Amino acid sequence: AVRCYTQAMAAATSLVVGAPKSLLPLRLNTAVGDAIAKRQQGHSEAAAGQRAMIVCSRRLVADATQLQGKWPRSRSGTSMAIVGLFVLRNFRRSRRSTLTVALQCSSDGGQPRLPGSDDESRPSSVTEEDKAMLTELRRRADALTEKEQQRAQSIDKNWAQGQARMGPVAAVDDWVRRVAFLGRDLFVGTASTGVQRFRLGDPEPRQRYAVMGKSDVFVPADHQAETDPETSVTSLWWDGRWLAAGLAGGRLHVWGAEGESILAVAAPGSPRPCYVSIIEDMVVSATDMLLERRRLGDAANPQVVEASVTLPSRVHCLMPAPKSGVIVGMEDGFIEIRDVDFELVARHRVSTTAVSAVCIAKDGLLTGNAAGEIVFWQAEADGGFPRTSQDWQPVWRATHDGRVVAIRLGGTNSVVTGALDGTVRVWRCEDGEMRYQIPGHKVWLGSICIDDNDKGLMVTDGRDNAVYLYNFRSEE
């Protein structure tokens, strides 16, 4: 959604004669935040894109209106029309939906209007020059759409064949424990020196984030070494607005987009790994059996715990659930789905050992456990996300030789898993058949990140102090 917005804005700007781009306030940071928040709530890609697109499109109108006022028209007596053509793929039904937003300002100072508005019937002074401009913009939009289709097909082909250019993208002076990746921002969580922020392609970190605790104090851990420094990052989440980190010693940190510290608290009780997730403008943390929610934002006090609940077993993984809420995987082998107020929605046993990884798929849920088993669960009727205890049905099972630590969705309907056996494996989502294995990782593998925009980039840790990038895009 954000890419379509940016491309349409660039095309529209280039057609306004003499208008410098510096005069155009894109306000993309907020648009990016809106789109990412909706994506991470678990909405389908088409639905999330449409909602985000409406927000972005209205900003396109507002921004173009400001441009109209700041930059004089090149020719009097003509109207300026800027049209954004946004094409979204509906992956579920394999069809396209097109959203067109038009802004027309007449030479006599007419106000902007949207298609379908009350004043749409008013006569407009669209000239031949305007029509030519709109035709050219549509041509450019069609060319961009065709290019994106070719790009997506190329990425899917490379995923299916296991073809990617790989190499180290960041190296730090400490053991890498977790990574978070979005756009061109890469965050590296370490064992003893906090979090470092890289820009893809930069050899040195742009920012360093210190964490609480002592690196020479060791606490119980959820892996075969059984202990970790209390400063070790066990969970890392970046949504474009806030960065949240959970530490092995049970501490929670939240920073803003510019690196400013927003929250630094320690969970009560004995030190246990802290797992974190950001949902809309809230940070959710789980330490031991305690699940807590805090509000973020300018008007919020993140020190205040808005909601909390004690779970029946210790948490080993945490992620956002579709339609808001959270999914927790617990030590007793159960999965619980809770709404944003932590009311129980569904509870189901998926394993005889601790549930260590969870991922939402198109038609169900993927789980991984401490024994190395991966299971794809699907609802009985009409597919979809299993929301009641009666819905859960195993479709296929696969195995690693160690604790599963990460499950992500790759290109061409692939499932990517990482485990403490030091392997990253790629499976077919339909039947669980293994496509290939990516070698070179070690037992300290902790996270896999895949670009949700086009699945063209994947980042992994598990190579001592290095982070590796896998590029499935043929043209880059």
Side-chain angles (χ1 to χ4, degrees), residues 55-71:
V55 175
C56 294
S57 301
R58 294 190 181 278
R59 288 187 179 129
L60 170 61
V61 173
D63 292 340
T65 305
Q66 291 190 32
L67 175 63
Q68 179 80 356
K70 290 183 178 180
W71 191 256

Side-chain angles (χ1 to χ4, degrees), residues 204 296 391 410 440:
E204 299 295 328
L296 303 174
D391 283 341

Side-chain angles (χ1 to χ4, degrees), residues 169-193:
V169 68
V172 299
D173 52 357
D174 195 356
W175 299 109
V176 177
R177 284 294 182 260
R178 295 292 185 272
V179 295
F181 169 60
L182 183 66
R184 299 194 65 82
D185 284 318
L186 173 67
F187 293 85
V188 181
T190 67
S192 58
T193 54

